[in-house]
Amino acid sequence: LKNKKTSKLWSNVLGLTTKPSPNGSFILKGETKPSGPELSLYEVNTGATFVLEKMSLVEKCNFTQDETILTCGTPVRFEQNAYPYNWYLRKIKTNDVLIRYTTKNKNSRIISNIVDEINKEIDVFELVSNNSGSKTGFIDKTSMDLYLYEE
């Protein structure tokens, strides 16, 4: 217990949600801004924070086991709303694309426009990926159907 330490990272953050990476190198942080829910990647070792370019919810994202890739279900658009609360309560649903970020250089790319592929809007949650990111599973929050995206 002598080497343990507790530090406050953030305070007074509206709609704060977080998800640590598997080994704790990163913390994905979500907060509600006037424009919608903002995601940022906090690097634990350096204390650096990088705001991700697309808005989404922490609950729609997952790190690969080796922490090199972050994949997110990202809504095509956001309406003015109380995020993430009304999403939790199923008062709103989203139409998502899959976006992949690299944790090293923070590059991103759309890997799947789901509605174009299956002709159905999907509200992604419970997303998981294999280590290479070539397989990504997720549940449609609206129907509770399970989907698998493969590259």
Side-chain angles (χ1 to χ4, degrees):
L1 290 173
K2 292 180 182 180
N3 295 328
K4 305 293 180 181
K5 179 181 169 187
T6 300
S7 302
K8 179 168 58 172
L9 298 178
W10 306 288
S11 62
N12 298 319
V13 177
L14 182 62
L16 176 65
T17 54
T18 62
K19 180 178 285 188
S21 61
N23 296 319
S25 300
F26 300 95
I27 299 173
L28 182 63
K29 174 187 162 198
E31 65 181 293
T32 301
K33 298 284 190 168
S35 57
E38 179 181 273
L39 290 179
S40 56
L41 195 58
Y42 174 78
E43 295 184 25
V44 174
N45 292 336
T46 66
T49 299
F50 181 84
V51 176
L52 300 180
E53 64 183 59
K54 302 291 184 186
M55 291 190 293
S56 190
L57 302 169
V58 167
E59 296 77 8
K60 293 178 169 287
C61 300
N62 196 52
F63 291 93
T64 54
Q65 198 64 34
D66 66 2
E67 303 183 336
T68 59
I69 296 171
L70 174 69
T71 304
C72 295
T74 303
V76 173
R77 68 186 156 285
F78 281 98
E79 300 170 3
Q80 288 284 42
N81 222 308
Y83 294 99
Y85 311 111
N86 283 340
W87 183 77
Y88 291 148
L89 296 172
R90 296 180 182 241
K91 291 182 178 180
I92 54 173
K93 67 178 216 159
T94 62
N95 172 27
D96 298 334
V97 296
L98 295 179
I99 294 185
R100 178 169 300 142
Y101 297 91
T102 58
T103 57
K104 183 176 181 179
N105 58 21
K106 317 309 183 279
N107 288 338
S108 68
R109 68 182 177 96
I110 294 175
I111 59 170
S112 175
N113 187 338
I114 301 168
V115 72
D116 288 347
E117 292 180 24
I118 64 170
N119 200 31
K120 181 182 180 201
E121 293 185 359
I122 300 291
D123 188 353
V124 170
F125 90 119
E126 297 292 331
L127 187 144
V128 294
S129 294
N130 66 349
N131 223 18
S132 67
S134 64
K135 293 183 182 185
T136 301
F138 53 89
I139 296 173
D140 175 15
K141 191 168 182 270
T142 304
S143 67
M144 299 305 289
D145 293 335
L146 177 64
Y147 290 87
L148 178 65
Y149 167 78
E150 296 180 90
E151 287 188 78

